[in-house]
Amino acid sequence: MSQGNREERTMLTRLRQLRRHTEIIGQILRDLWPLIAGAFSVLGVALHQFVALLR
């Protein structure tokens, strides 16, 4: 087997692993999105209340 074929297979393996990892990260973000949106909403309300207290 030539060195070029081996390097190509290694690169393809790495690309498959990268795709698998990005799919997993994407799924985690999709699952956590409501929690993240809720947290930012709460932070926004808290900031609004804090600014209102300063007036």
Side-chain angles (χ1 to χ4, degrees):
M1 182 184 314
S2 71
Q3 183 70 20
N5 287 341
R6 191 175 307 141
E7 288 176 0
E8 188 174 321
R9 283 193 307 148
T10 302
M11 180 64 78
L12 288 174
T13 301
R14 288 181 181 164
L15 286 173
R16 284 188 198 105
Q17 289 175 345
L18 179 62
R19 186 182 71 201
R20 197 173 319 130
H21 291 153
T22 55
E23 287 174 356
I24 291 169
I25 291 169
Q27 184 63 46
I28 290 169
L29 290 176
R30 278 191 298 274
D31 291 345
L32 291 180
W33 175 245
L35 181 63
I36 294 168
F40 276 110
S41 176
V42 169
L43 286 174
V45 169
L47 180 62
H48 180 74
Q49 292 295 323
F50 179 72
V51 169
L53 282 174
L54 293 177
R55 291 184 178 171

